[in-house]
Amino acid sequence: MSEQSAQPEYRIEDLAHHSGATVRTIRAYQDRGLLPRPERRGRSNVYGDTHLARLRQIADLLDRGYTLASIKELLEAWDAGRGLGGVLGLVAEVEGPWTDEEADRISRAELDARFGGTPDEEAVREAIELGVLERVPDRETEEYLVPSPQELAVAAELYAAGVPLSAITGHLRELRGQVEHIAARFLEFTTEHVFARYLEHRPPTDADAAEAATMVRRLRPLAQQTVDAELARAMRLFATRHLQLHLSPDAPLPEDREPRSVALPPATIRAVERLVGAENVAAFVAAAAEREVQTRTLDTLASNAANSEQIVQAP
């Protein structure tokens, strides 16, 4: 058997079967220049292992979040001899876990027991929506994947301390938005001052991509370390002021904690419903009002402290 005849050959239907792509998708890739043209044999088009490997590369890059336009650039670089190893290594480094915490599983019975023993379908739905829980399919007993056991443990401790589940989920939504803003700013900062030089070429060279991946490994823990340090500083500062406020003999006595009705404009209610859903309006309004009160209290304390300092320093 000759070397040529030993190489696998595929009709387009066979190539689709082995690659998992559809015939229509393969033809579309050919039209976009992502896939080499097949060899013509009489009236038939013949594909080989090169085409199969290329289809698997494209599928892998799509799974990593690349667009077809970006994939074309990467594959053209590959064909020009610049390689993809460094680029894929960089992608793998960025997409890897950013924490040492390992996911766990919990049964519905265990979940209910940790939160008072009474099933709460609405709370479970919100936890799934927030990604705190993920359903495990095809199970005889209801079971959930817990991506962050620490986060679930914090929620359980807050609930045991008397915080309603609706308030916990509302706080998590607010906290998540603030943390995502911090993450975005950190990425903008490091991209401008560190990674811009590695990303000047599109796609980056194999060497630049490999060096950038090394830099990601070095900088990965810095964001969390910085946030941990700053959160500890802020908590000590604000908690001390908060305690002083409540222990002050001039502080107002706590009033009754019974819920009270407050009239809000219909437009405001509709805006909040669009933002968080009708079922979360009360929790959202309460959390927003409480945050505003705390902010104004802290501002007053800081202003009073500054004024006192100025009086002491005055001649």
Side-chain angles (χ1 to χ4, degrees), residues 204-284:
T205 65
D206 209 43
D208 281 348
E211 191 171 348
T214 301
M215 191 62 67
V216 170
R217 283 193 294 274
R218 287 179 54 190
L219 299 183
R220 183 192 296 271
L222 297 189
Q224 183 171 348
Q225 290 171 3
T226 303
V227 171
D228 286 347
E230 284 300 308
L231 180 61
R233 180 198 63 81
M235 286 298 297
R236 180 179 181 184
L237 174 65
F238 290 156
T240 300
R241 291 178 178 177
H242 198 66
L243 183 62
Q244 289 173 348
L245 173 66
H246 284 276
L247 294 182
S248 171
D250 298 328
L253 294 175
E255 299 180 357
D256 63 273
R257 306 292 292 176
E258 291 298 321
R260 296 184 180 181
S261 298
V262 178
L264 294 176
T268 301
I269 296 295
R270 288 195 295 270
V272 175
E273 286 179 346
R274 288 194 296 270
L275 185 64
V276 300
E279 69 278 6
N280 296 316
V281 169
F284 179 88

Side-chain angles (χ1 to χ4, degrees), residues 267-302:
T268 301
I269 296 295
R270 288 195 295 270
V272 175
E273 286 179 346
R274 288 194 296 270
L275 185 64
V276 300
E279 69 278 6
N280 296 316
V281 169
F284 179 88
V285 171
E290 183 177 353
R291 182 175 64 176
E292 182 65 20
V293 170
Q294 290 176 347
T295 300
R296 289 177 182 270
T297 301
L298 293 174
D299 288 344
T300 301
L301 286 171

Side-chain angles (χ1 to χ4, degrees), residues 67-90:
T67 65
L68 289 177
S70 298
I71 292 173
K72 185 176 181 181
E73 292 181 357
L74 289 171
L75 294 177
E76 286 173 350
W78 172 271
D79 292 338
R82 288 170 56 188
L84 278 179
V87 173
L88 296 181
L90 174 59

